[in-house]
Each structure stands twice: as C-alpha cells, then as structure tokens.
Amino acid sequence: APPSPDMGPEGLSPEDAADHLPIDQTPSKGHGEESADNPSSELKVDEMRFRIENHGYQCLVYSSLARKVVPAAENEVTWVTQLTVDRLPSLEKMLERWNGPVSAALYSRELAMDVREIERFRDTVDFHIVGASQGLYPVNTLRNVALNNARSEYVVLADVDFLPSAGMYEFIRGHVAGWKAKHGDKCVYVIPAFVMETGKGVQKVPPKDKQQLLAMGESVVHQVHNDPARSIAHKYTDYGRWLKTNEVYQAEYKFPYEPYFMAPRTIPRYDVRFIGYGNDKASHAYELDKAGFKFNVMPNAFVIHTQHPQGNWVTQTFLDPKDRMSRTLTTFLADVDRRYKVRKFKDEVTDFPPLPESAGYEVVVGRLGESCTAACLEKGKECKPEWSERVNMCRELEKHTNCVQGCNDNFFGADLPAYNSQRDQCLINNAPKAVGFSCPVTYQFSRRLCPCGARPKK
C-alpha cells in the first residue's frame, strides 16, 4: 500500500524530511520556485525552499526555471524528461538538437553537488529537483513532476538518453495546429525510436535527419529493441511504413506498446505505482488507449538512443523483480479497466479446417499452475503447439472455462491462452509470433487452454 497522505517520499514524513531539505509549506507566489523573471546568479542550497507535491505520496520539489527561455503563448512544445546527474552528458547531447523549452525532473541524492552540476544547463532547462528517498527510483513520479511543470500546451515525452532528429522542435511547432485541426484533440503523435549498432568499424555519429537515416541502412540503424523478445514494445509503430511515407498515419495499439510521443500536456498522468524498472511506459500507453487516445505516427521526425552505462536503478529492488512487476501490473490493469469500463474483447470468427479423427484432437483445460504437457499427458495425449492457433481465441476460452470478467486481448505470453485467476478473466496471446505458445511453460495464476492430440505410436 502507498504511504499515507501525511507521509513524504517512501514514507518520509514532512517533519523528518525537514531534517534533510528545507521545506516551504506556505502557499505564496513562487514558493519552492525560482522565477525566470528574476533568476539568481546561482542556486544556493541554504536558500532553496522545497515545496510539497502530492503524487500518491508527498515528495519535495524545487523548481529552477530556465534563465534564457520564455515559452511561446501558442503551439509551444516542451521536451519532458527525468534523470539523475550521471545522465547530464545525455541531456547535453539532446540540447544540441532541441531548440525549445525543456522540463527535466532531477532526482537528487546529494543536493549541494547536484546543484553545482546543473549550473551550466540552467540558461535553457527548467529543472525540478526532487529530493531522493531511500526507496526505488520513482521513475513515473519524476515523469509526472516534469509533465505537470511544463510551461506549454504540448509536450514531447522521452527518456533523457534519446536524441531528437535535427529540427524536430521547429517541425512540430510548424505542424501541430494543422494536425489538431485534422485529427482532433485525443491523439498522441508517436515518434519512432531508433538505435545504432556500435560494433567495430560502424559509424557512431547519429543521423541528423531521415535522409541520413535511410542512407545508413537497417544494418547500422534500426528500431530500438529489435530483438525478438522485446520488439513488441515498439513494433506497432510500423517502421517499414514510416520509412516510406511523409504523412501522419494511425498505429495499431496493443499492449505492451510503449512508444515515445508528442501529446497535449493534459493527457492522463503516469501511474506512480511503477517504480524502479519495468512496465512504467507500457502502463501509461495502456491507459491512454483505454481513455480513447489514438496513436498517430509523426512523419519524418525521430529519436535515436545514445549509448551509456546501465544505471543501478534498473536492477535495484526489494522483491523479486518479476514478482513485483507482475503484481503491480495486474492491479493497475484491473484498475484501468474498471475506471474506463473497458469493453471485453471478442475475436473475429476464424474457422480452421477439421483435423482427421486419427489426430485425436481435444481441447483440455489444465489445473491452476499446470503445464499443457502435463494436462495433455493426463488425458493420455500429447501437447501439440502447432495447433495453438485453434485455441488462441476468446470463443474457445469461453466455451471451455468460466470467463467471469470477460476475455481480454491486451496480453501476451507463452502460457496463453488461459484463464487468469488473479484477474478472474480469460486472456489470449496478442503476439504469438513474438512470444510463441509453449507446452511445458507454467504460470501460477493460469489455467491453460491446451491443444492435445494423439501420441505417436511406438
């Protein structure tokens, strides 16, 4: 359970927090904030007064607004990100290509040192310094701090280790009014994310524009996370289509799509239950989809990943990471489904030619946590993964199990299709090519739907 409303970051009370950071709880103009109209020459730690912001728990924030950037009144767009001081080199690279406002939430563990480190960026970056706690890296809280404090109508939501293509800021500002008129307000504009190969002899200067990217070829620069296990996180952008078009097009949404994008600042916020690493962006995209937002893909502009050492926050945890992420994600998805009254998925009618009687085809429902190998064996049969398409449909699950909360196609996994006891819902695999059906796989909350057939005669 989250800390009580009277508690600070990770259970730190405002009284205890006062021993670490100065707090201003008086609601007055500019409290916890340095005005861009009257900026000081440098930040002085003993004069900084942190304000309390509520993000499901209370955290301490101090804002230093950019000294030389005044956001435009209309069609302005801010680059929104979060970081620790070890990522300042990535921020510096990003600023070489982004000519607009920046709102960055900085997670500070050593305030005096961190203030010195950010000084050279304060002309162009709005920093929102968040006092660190002893818990896991609060990635989505930081995103919300930066998003809430962005001083523009539109925002680009991207991680700090991504570079924009040259001229992206000007490109967006020149088109955003037209996109809004044509596509409406409930849209986010996906910015395709790329990564460069870094092997010996490979050019390491990132492409500035689409022309350079195309000239390099897919062997040098390609979709981020293009390995089979993770490609599903970005593949719905449809990179092949983006490479060939100069027009906006709508991407298909399926969980766990997690693109970077430009959006109105008023979009739903990130869920702060996701801390540390895992499902932090995918959960946000899921809620956007259920809230009725379309995922349009922005033409010509892109972001490209910059290489850096892995941060220790990616692996830090109090629990087994898979267990923590599974429990948090399951609770979150159920909450979103209730909040938006998500319709239960019904698949299209797909008919397969009948198998010969000699095949011994039978659909078997396994016990909770049982593999299909074992479930079929109990029937004197053999699990047949090549027939998994025949059972990966809601109508099959509803025929053989009690789908109390309906059937959902927002999941993938080698244990699916199955009835999930946590959700009281039937789940089908929405990415069978990326994560294929596996007979021996088990999952403690799954009653698997198994395609069984005659065992070969010896």
Side-chain angles (χ1 to χ4, degrees):
S4 72
D6 296 329
M7 299 300 283
E10 294 296 326
L12 184 68
S13 71
E15 290 78 11
D16 292 337
D19 294 334
H20 300 80
L21 297 171
I23 306 172
D24 187 346
Q25 300 187 62
T26 306
S28 59
K29 183 179 180 181
H31 77 283
E33 177 180 295
E34 178 194 32
S35 170
D37 298 327
N38 186 27
S40 64
S41 58
E42 62 180 68
L43 294 177
K44 298 178 181 178
V45 173
D46 57 352
E47 296 179 1
M48 295 169 64
R49 305 298 297 174
F50 281 71
R51 66 184 181 272
I52 295 177
E53 289 190 4
N54 192 351
H55 293 273
Y57 60 87
Q58 293 179 341
C59 62
L60 306 178
V61 182
Y62 180 90
S63 293
S64 169
L65 304 186
R67 291 180 288 213
K68 296 184 179 180
V69 175
V70 178
E74 293 183 353
N75 300 328
E76 185 61 283
V77 58
T78 298
W79 186 279
V80 170
T81 194
Q82 41 74 36
L83 72 159
T84 48
V85 289
D86 60 313
R87 290 291 182 265
L88 287 174
S90 296
L91 179 69
E92 185 171 26
K93 291 179 181 177
M94 184 278 293
L95 291 171
E96 293 174 0
R97 293 191 176 184
W98 180 261
N99 298 320
V102 177
S103 179
L106 177 78
Y107 195 54
S108 176
R109 296 184 176 91
E110 298 288 343
L111 184 59
M113 181 191 74
D114 294 348
V115 163
R116 289 194 300 270
E117 292 291 329
I118 67 172
E119 178 60 33
R120 61 196 175 100
F121 299 99
R122 288 182 55 230
D123 281 350
T124 54
V125 177
D126 287 356
F127 280 105
H128 310 289
I129 303 171
V130 179
S133 68
Q134 298 302 311
L136 301 177
Y137 186 74
V139 58
N140 278 356
T141 295
L142 295 171
R143 288 186 173 119
N144 287 344
V145 168
L147 178 56
N148 290 347
N149 289 286
R151 297 184 288 156
S152 63
E153 184 179 359
Y154 298 98
V155 292
V156 168
L157 297 168
D159 289 337
V160 73
D161 49 358
F162 279 83
L163 287 177
S165 52
M168 180 191 290
Y169 170 68
E170 293 81 3
F171 176 74
I172 293 175
R173 288 207 65 201
H175 289 82
V176 68
W179 292 338
K180 180 179 179 179
K182 183 174 182 180
H183 302 289
D185 290 320
K186 270 205 160 180
C187 298
V188 302
Y189 291 85
V190 172
I191 303 172
F194 290 87
V195 65
M196 292 186 67
E197 292 295 331
T198 56
K200 185 177 179 181
V202 174
Q203 181 183 357
K204 294 184 179 180
V205 178
K208 290 184 177 181
D209 53 34
K210 188 173 183 178
Q211 184 177 359
Q212 285 188 6
L213 185 148
L214 289 170
M216 288 181 176
E218 290 187 43
S219 62
V220 176
V221 59
H222 52 72
Q223 170 193 329
V224 70
H225 301 324
N226 71 332
D227 54 291
R230 296 192 297 167
S231 65
I232 192 171
H234 288 269
K235 75 170 189 175
Y236 298 113
T237 298
D238 193 348
Y239 284 75
R241 182 174 180 180
W242 181 85
L243 292 170
K244 298 174 183 177
T245 188
N246 295 317
E247 302 295 329
V248 172
Y249 61 91
Q250 186 174 343
E252 177 185 24
Y253 172 82
K254 285 189 177 182
F255 185 82
Y257 191 33
E258 54 173 28
Y260 300 104
F261 52 81
M262 185 275 292
R265 192 175 65 89
T266 54
I267 59 169
R269 280 5 188 192
Y270 292 84
D271 194 286
V272 299
R273 285 173 287 188
F274 292 91
I275 55 178
Y277 179 80
N279 294 315
D280 44 291
K281 295 190 298 293
S283 59
H284 188 229
Y286 182 86
E287 179 159 357
L288 291 177
D289 176 66
K290 302 314 168 199
F293 282 82
K294 293 185 295 183
F295 289 78
N296 288 340
V297 181
M298 185 183 299
N300 301 323
F302 60 89
V303 292
I304 189 161
H305 186 255
T306 57
Q307 300 298 324
H308 57 77
Q310 187 181 66
N312 63 3
W313 68 274
V314 171
T315 55
Q316 62 180 195
T317 182
F318 296 136
L319 302 168
D320 177 82
K322 292 182 180 179
D323 180 56
R324 173 173 57 82
M325 288 190 284
S326 173
R327 286 192 291 170
T328 303
L329 182 62
T330 297
T331 303
F332 166 81
L333 294 173
D335 288 348
V336 169
D337 288 355
R338 284 193 295 268
R339 191 182 315 144
Y340 294 99
K341 296 181 173 58
V342 175
R343 65 175 179 82
K344 306 309 177 187
F345 175 79
K346 295 289 184 181
D347 44 52
E348 295 179 2
V349 175
T350 304
D351 292 315
F352 293 92
L355 293 167
E357 188 175 343
S358 60
Y361 177 64
E362 181 181 357
V363 178
V364 174
V365 181
R367 294 192 298 269
L368 201 62
E370 185 178 36
S371 72
C372 280
T373 300
C376 292
L377 190 60
E378 287 186 14
K379 295 289 185 178
K381 296 180 180 290
E382 182 178 78
C383 177
K384 301 288 187 180
E386 64 270 26
W387 296 342
S388 61
E389 287 186 355
R390 293 174 177 265
V391 295
N392 192 37
M393 295 183 289
C394 284
R395 71 180 186 190
E396 290 297 313
L397 280 161
E398 290 166 346
K399 183 191 302 182
H400 296 280
T401 66
N402 184 16
C403 303
V404 177
Q405 295 296 325
C407 186
N408 197 322
D409 73 334
N410 283 299
F411 296 83
F412 67 96
D415 64 307
L416 302 183
Y419 165 78
N420 183 280
S421 62
Q422 272 189 318
R423 296 178 61 85
D424 210 8
Q425 192 175 59
C426 292
L427 310 178
I428 64 172
N429 186 356
N430 71 12
K433 292 182 180 179
V435 184
F437 178 93
S438 174
C439 291
V441 162
T442 64
Y443 183 57
Q444 60 181 323
F445 301 115
S446 286
R447 292 193 65 193
R448 300 188 61 189
L449 197 63
C450 306
C452 305
R455 301 172 68 182
K457 295 180 181 179
K458 296 181 179 180

